[in-house]
Amino acid sequence: MRSHDVVVVGAGLAGQRAALAAIEAKRDVAIVSKLHPLRSHSGAAQGGINAAVGKEDSVDTHIYDTVKGSDYLGDQDAIEFFCREAGPTVIEMEHFGTIFSRAPDGSLARRPFGGAAFPRTIYAADRTGLALLQGLYERLGTESFTMYEEWDLTSVIVREGRCQGIVAFDRRHGTFEEIGAKSVVLATGPCGRVYGRTTNSHTSTGDGIAAAYRAGAALKDMEFVQFHPTALLESSILITEGARGEGGLLKNGTGERFMSRYAPHVLELASRDVVSRAIITEVREGRGFPGGYVHLELMHLGKERIESRLQEICDFCRTFAGIDPVTQPIPVMPAQHYMMGGIGTNIRGETNVPGLLAAGEAACVSIHGANRLGGNSLLETLVFGKQAGIAAAEHAGRAAAPEVRPADAEAEAARVGAMTSRTDGEEPQHLRISMQAAMDGLVGVFRVPDELTQALSEVRALRTRYERVRVVDTSKSYNLNLTDALETGNMLELAEVIVAGAIARTESRGAHSRVDFPKRDDATWMKHTMASRGPDGPRLSYAPVAYTRWEPKERVY
Ligand SMILES: Cc1cc2nc3c(=O)[nH]c(=O)nc-3n(C[C@H](O)[C@H](O)[C@H](O)COP(=O)(O)OP(=O)(O)OC[C@H]3O[C@@H](n4cnc5c(N)ncnc54)[C@H](O)[C@@H]3O)c2cc1C
């Protein structure tokens, strides 16, 4: 039987960093990933990674900006730890081989990002994620561990009150396999594909979050969904905040730099929730361009700067929108970008299930609270990936050998067998597209109570239809129809949690903006939503927010 001390699921930045930490603690480590590590969504990150390394900046300012950015829902003890680790983490990545862009004096170049009091975002042109992923992958490649590549986690095994391993689907051979583990770290990334208009890759389907939820882990703050203000109009490809950091301007259909009415001090560099609401308001009130969008202008920055600092953005605009950002404005609208919520963990990555840990975007520590600042997520994957790896290794040192039974994999094979043997039923892509339409249309930047209720009933109806999901393709090897069915099932489960949390939270905070409750309500709602899986859907309870030094204040930019 396959068995390891520590099984890390996911090979993005969080998973690789967790694996490295557990290997350094002398554990037998395996990584399970549905993708080649360098294809993880981390590699799509453009703008940069935050660390207060300059003389004029300070760790305290980074902490304050993050607390304020979170609209006071972030846990301040976790944020303090996180910001203190930032400098050493970036330096470590440089030592692993990541080549960052440089200032003329040779120091690390930094660009301004939204919601930050100083230019604090360190970058490698507009390919920061790929540069980090490459450096870490090379470092990890010097260690020995077992790699299960193109294996999909389908369930987490919890027996006798502790996690004892996972079941995964081997895409190449078309078989389900059990893998025993004393500790399992879920680093499976986001579930952005519950939306259709998203900057996330097609593989960001929340599989690990859903598997943890089914295994009894509580999900935290899932209603907080970040919409990035500037995604390309048709394709929703991200135009990094770095474009505004370099001096890009947002203009409405009348040519007005409208952010002066929403964030008079910092304009385009307000935090993402503020800028997204401003754009949607401009368009709804008839000040957008025909068809409903605004412009992001870079032309005044000049060809040399645009083409050197925003190389990838130039490529995306030219290839996918037929626009040259050197001479033309870029049509943009907000799109889903990041999940502040995820599997609830403490600073060490531990969940409420012993032996089950989580890190990266799949997890919620919580440092982003109700709204994440750009550049804080790449940092989160590395800081908390490492912590989860350390804690997983420690737990493995204490835990008894895992007990994994072939019946675990057989149960998963039987579940999927029913999907492939059905002669009629629902095709997964139809369910997925309907779910995405409901989430795009009814659970967006501004949330209307009737629309949320409608979304919940639509998602629940889709879940019922999913019980008769049918996989038409019966190929044994690389059956992507089957993968789609599994991923769609996971996303439907998570969509229900997102909507249920959004209905329950009768206030506006960070990215959760309720038109019927437009104000933040600290007296009632300064608390985390915790969702556990019940027989009839998510059961919500609430957990306190940790405070250290920062009293809640009104948030203005
Ligand atoms: C377009 C874009 C740009 C961004 N830019 C920035 C930025 O500039 N700065 C910043 O701070 N943040 C940025 N972010 C956010 C940040 O990149 C992500 O939050 C972060 O990289 C997530 O890393 P991760 O390791 O948690 O997950 P991922 O990188 O998504 O990795 C997930 C891993 O899990 C594996 N996996 C998933 N499901 C399964 C399964 N069922 N079985 C096995 N393996 C599985 C995948 O194979 C993959 O290896 C950006 C995000 C996007 C989408």
Side-chain angles (χ1 to χ4, degrees):
M1 188 191 74
R2 290 180 190 85
S3 188
H4 304 273
D5 292 336
V6 177
V7 167
V8 177
V9 189
L13 285 171
Q16 289 193 37
R17 192 62 192 84
L20 181 60
I23 292 166
E24 284 176 339
K26 306 275 179 272
R27 299 289 172 233
D28 161 32
V29 175
I31 301 181
V32 176
S33 179
K34 69 179 179 181
L35 304 171
H36 182 278
L38 295 180
R39 298 225 163 233
S40 305
H41 187 64
S42 292
Q46 303 170 355
I49 177 167
N50 293 340
V53 293
K55 283 196 198 76
E56 73 286 17
D57 200 356
S58 72
V59 170
D60 260 9
T61 319
H62 188 190
I63 297 171
Y64 173 69
D65 288 344
T66 305
V67 170
K68 177 181 171 188
S70 82
D71 219 349
Y72 298 91
L73 193 70
D75 285 327
Q76 295 184 7
D77 53 353
I79 294 173
E80 293 210 19
F81 175 81
F82 168 72
C83 296
R84 288 205 182 92
E85 289 291 307
T89 300
V90 168
I91 305 291
E92 181 179 68
M93 287 309 298
E94 187 168 48
H95 292 173
F96 286 173
T98 298
I99 297 166
F100 293 108
S101 296
R102 296 281 157 182
D105 68 357
S107 63
L108 291 171
R110 286 164 293 144
R111 55 168 53 127
F113 247 46
F118 288 101
R120 182 183 297 138
T121 305
I122 294 160
Y123 57 94
D126 53 359
R127 295 193 188 89
T128 314
L130 198 57
L132 291 168
L133 206 53
Q134 187 81 40
L136 188 52
Y137 186 62
E138 284 174 18
R139 171 66 187 84
L140 195 60
T142 65
E143 303 288 347
S144 71
F145 60 96
T146 308
M147 183 79 210
Y148 299 99
E149 194 173 304
E150 296 188 329
W151 283 43
D152 292 33
L153 161 88
T154 62
S155 65
V156 169
I157 302 165
V158 176
R159 193 169 286 133
E160 290 159 7
R162 69 182 175 104
C163 177
Q164 308 217 22
I166 65 164
V167 176
F169 177 66
D170 172 357
R171 285 188 185 183
R172 186 148 85 117
H173 298 101
T175 54
F176 283 87
E177 309 287 345
E178 64 275 358
I179 308 177
K182 293 176 180 169
S183 306
V184 169
V185 181
L186 297 176
T188 43
C191 60
R193 281 281 152 184
V194 296
Y195 287 83
R197 277 191 53 77
T198 175
T199 66
N200 282 196
S201 55
H202 288 274
T203 52
S204 299
T205 52
D207 307 344
I209 311 175
Y213 180 58
R214 286 195 292 272
L219 306 186
K220 195 196 278 181
D221 292 335
M222 290 292 284
E223 65 269 32
F224 292 100
V225 177
Q226 177 163 83
F227 292 82
H228 196 291
T230 61
L232 263 187
L233 195 58
E234 300 291 335
S235 57
S236 296
I237 291 174
L238 179 73
I239 305 295
T240 172
E241 195 161 291
R244 280 171 286 138
E246 294 294 336
L249 309 177
L250 286 169
K251 294 205 179 152
N252 66 17
T254 68
E256 183 202 7
R257 212 175 148 193
F258 57 88
M259 280 311 298
S260 59
R261 283 185 276 111
Y262 299 89
H265 304 295
V266 296
L267 299 144
E268 283 84 359
L269 289 175
S271 71
R272 290 177 178 175
D273 54 338
V274 176
V275 184
S276 290
R277 280 194 291 273
I279 294 175
I280 300 279
T281 305
E282 289 302 294
V283 169
R284 284 201 180 158
E285 294 182 355
R287 292 186 294 277
F289 287 91
Y293 59 90
V294 299
H295 275 164
L296 173 63
E297 288 190 3
L298 304 180
M299 297 95 79
H300 59 286
L301 301 176
K303 184 176 166 69
E304 209 249 283
R305 182 151 177 200
I306 298 173
E307 289 187 343
S308 63
R309 302 279 183 91
L310 301 166
Q311 304 159 5
E312 194 131 288
I313 295 306
C314 287
D315 261 6
F316 289 152
C317 289
R318 289 168 186 158
T319 309
F320 295 101
I323 278 168
D324 186 350
V326 174
T327 55
Q328 291 169 291
I330 310 170
V332 292
M333 272 300 273
Q336 190 286 338
H337 181 59
Y338 184 85
M339 292 291 171
M340 268 71 77
I343 306 163
T345 72
N346 60 16
I347 292 177
R348 288 165 51 82
E350 293 157 330
T351 70
N352 58 315
V353 178
L356 182 64
L357 301 96
E361 196 170 337
C364 176
V365 179
S366 132
I367 48 158
H368 309 303
N371 172 69
R372 169 178 79 95
L373 294 188
N376 267 355
S377 179
L378 288 176
L379 181 61
E380 174 191 26
T381 62
L382 298 168
V383 168
F384 292 109
K386 177 177 172 187
Q387 293 308 309
I390 292 171
E394 282 174 18
H395 181 268
R398 301 188 296 270
E403 188 207 336
V404 180
R405 304 170 184 158
D408 294 322
E410 284 158 17
E412 287 293 84
R415 178 165 79 96
V416 165
M419 295 178 191
T420 46
S421 58
R422 234 165 241 145
T423 50
D424 64 349
E426 300 277 357
E427 297 198 17
Q429 66 273 24
H430 299 147
L431 302 176
R432 177 168 40 80
I433 290 166
S434 302
M435 169 191 66
Q436 290 170 337
M439 296 300 284
D440 282 344
L442 305 169
V443 199
V445 170
F446 286 106
R447 292 165 173 195
V448 181
D450 292 349
E451 293 180 357
L452 292 176
T453 316
Q454 189 190 333
L456 188 62
S457 71
E458 286 189 21
V459 168
R460 287 195 167 148
L462 290 167
R463 286 199 64 196
T464 306
R465 285 169 58 191
Y466 183 80
E467 287 167 16
R468 295 209 31 83
V469 72
R470 177 184 177 214
V471 175
V472 180
D473 185 351
T474 52
S475 325
K476 190 102 174 112
S477 196
Y478 292 105
N479 185 339
L480 295 182
N481 190 200
L482 172 56
T483 307
D484 190 13
L486 294 170
E487 292 175 343
T488 300
N490 292 333
M491 289 192 287
L492 279 170
E493 199 138 25
L494 300 179
E496 186 184 16
V497 181
I498 294 168
V499 184
I503 291 174
R505 188 174 282 271
T506 49
E507 66 157 354
S508 289
R509 182 186 297 272
H512 175 65
S513 186
R514 284 275 299 249
V515 294
D516 50 339
F517 293 95
K519 292 228 152 24
R520 196 175 81 195
D521 175 2
D522 288 344
T524 317
W525 284 108
M526 189 73 93
K527 54 191 182 188
H528 298 294
T529 306
M530 307 299 295
S532 306
R533 194 167 187 266
D536 310 315
R539 284 201 190 130
L540 304 184
S541 60
Y542 293 91
V545 174
Y547 289 97
T548 56
R549 291 185 274 161
W550 284 273
E551 287 296 322
K553 285 197 275 199
E554 196 193 344
R555 195 165 147 253
V556 278
Y557 285 101

